Amino acid sequence: MVVISIERFAEIQNSIRNYNGLYIDCIAALESAFPEYSSDTLGSIIAKEVVQRVKTNHSKISSKASALMKEYQTAAKQTMAHDIIQKMAIKQRVPSMVLCRIVLGTMYQGTSRSEIAEMLRMPDLISDSLLAVNVSYCLYSENMDGPMTDLVRRFIGEEYEVRLKKMAREAGMVFYDEGDLRRTGYDKTPDLKMAVPFMYRGHVINWIESKASFGDMDSHKRHVKDQLASYANRFGPGLVIYWFGYLETIADCPENGNDVIVTDGFPAQDEMEFLKFNLPVFEDVALKTDSDVQQ
């Protein structure tokens, strides 16, 4: 069970905030400092910290676009190195792909966002060969932002949704998935909607939502506001699974009410109760003989 106390979570956050280097190396440092937690859990916590850092500092970094461009050009003339942008990103304490976007947007002014995004996905489209090499190096070495990272996170999310369905079938649940619900006209849909509700630790469960991430307070409140509350209003109480663990305080936060139950894994068989249907037994009249009827 991966439920992290406020104190331990603060220690992990401070380690991330004080780390100065590549984020992929930060995960290794955290694994050494906090061996009781998996790389998935620690990586998810880092990702949330990085997203918050980028949101907080993005306008500040963007305002320095011209200075950052000059810094890149100076280093490019002096070194012709492949990792100039990566080293600049470490100094600015942001993911390298964030800096790639800023440099590309400054060098190719007037280029649309979609065109910049295409350059990030396929650096061969960048006319400046050294910049193309730098962007390509960032693309394949960055694990916190960018097209490759987005793709990996989407695959992980889909993997855990498939895992959830498999475990639900093995447990004997009857359910509708997102595709089933959308075909019937629902817009916001949980990953699983129970055709027949079940009991989990004394709670009636009508739906299950899968989150292949760590549940911290900010993201959980956002999930409740944007998704989980609407599921509860429409279908009744349900379960959200944070597969990589969660902060202990989110299980009892006021936003949950009595409708959002938090866990870090699929319920154990002995934690669930299913409705038992006692079907009436009908006598098969067709098998009776004429003499049986006469009697």
Side-chain angles (χ1 to χ4, degrees), residues 37-269:
Y37 304 122
S38 71
S39 58
D40 288 332
T41 295
L42 295 171
S44 183
I45 294 173
I46 292 173
K48 291 174 184 294
E49 282 291 312
V50 171
V51 167
Q52 187 56 47
R53 182 182 297 174
V54 170
K55 285 181 179 178
T56 303
N57 297 327
H58 192 268
S59 59
K60 181 180 176 182
I61 296 170
S62 297
S63 67
K64 299 191 294 184
S66 296
L68 290 169
M69 186 69 213
K70 287 179 183 178
E71 182 180 344
Y72 167 77
Q73 290 173 327
T74 299
K77 288 179 182 179
Q78 292 175 348
T79 67
M80 297 290 289
H82 65 281
D83 59 351
I84 298 169
I85 293 180
Q86 187 183 76
K87 289 179 177 177
M88 289 172 60
I90 292 172
K91 188 166 69 174
Q92 296 294 327
R93 298 175 61 79
V94 295
S96 57
M97 293 304 287
V98 170
L99 214 54
C100 286
R101 289 188 190 92
I102 292 173
V103 171
L104 285 171
T106 305
M107 177 172 280
Y108 299 100
Q109 292 185 7
T111 304
S112 67
R113 280 189 174 186
S114 60
E115 289 173 311
I116 295 295
E118 196 70 9
M119 290 179 185
L120 291 172
R121 282 193 295 271
M122 294 185 289
D124 290 347
L125 297 173
I126 301 170
S127 57
D128 184 296
S129 59
L130 183 60
L131 181 55
V133 169
N134 267 266
V135 172
S136 182
Y137 187 72
C138 292
L139 175 65
Y140 293 106
S141 60
E142 178 61 67
N143 67 335
M144 287 293 147
D145 185 54
M148 298 289 288
T149 302
D150 292 342
L151 192 62
V152 169
R153 286 175 181 164
R154 182 163 63 85
F155 285 159
I156 291 173
E158 291 176 356
E159 175 192 341
Y160 275 88
E161 286 180 22
V162 170
R163 184 179 301 189
L164 172 62
K165 290 179 187 179
K166 181 175 182 292
M167 297 174 85
R169 291 190 187 99
E170 290 174 349
M173 295 179 183
V174 181
F175 58 84
Y176 305 104
D177 63 17
E178 288 180 287
D180 298 326
L181 293 171
R182 284 176 181 161
R183 281 191 292 273
T184 58
Y186 290 105
D187 49 355
K188 290 186 177 182
T189 60
D191 292 313
L192 300 184
K193 163 67 175 69
M194 298 298 110
V196 180
F198 67 95
M199 297 289 291
Y200 169 67
R201 296 182 179 178
H203 300 280
V204 177
I205 302 300
N206 296 278
W207 50 267
I208 303 177
E209 179 71 7
S210 169
K211 297 293 182 188
S213 63
F214 178 83
D216 66 288
M217 186 60 77
D218 289 339
S219 62
H220 178 68
K221 286 183 177 180
R222 187 170 62 253
H223 292 323
V224 172
K225 179 182 177 183
D226 296 343
Q227 296 177 297
L228 308 181
S230 64
Y231 303 160
N233 289 337
R234 181 171 293 171
F235 304 120
L239 190 71
V240 56
I241 302 175
Y242 287 104
W243 294 101
F244 301 156
Y246 60 86
L247 183 64
E248 62 178 355
T249 50
I250 75 168
D252 300 314
C253 72
E255 285 78 5
N256 294 342
N258 296 317
D259 297 324
V260 177
I261 314 304
V262 179
T263 183
D264 67 333
F266 192 82
Q269 199 69 35

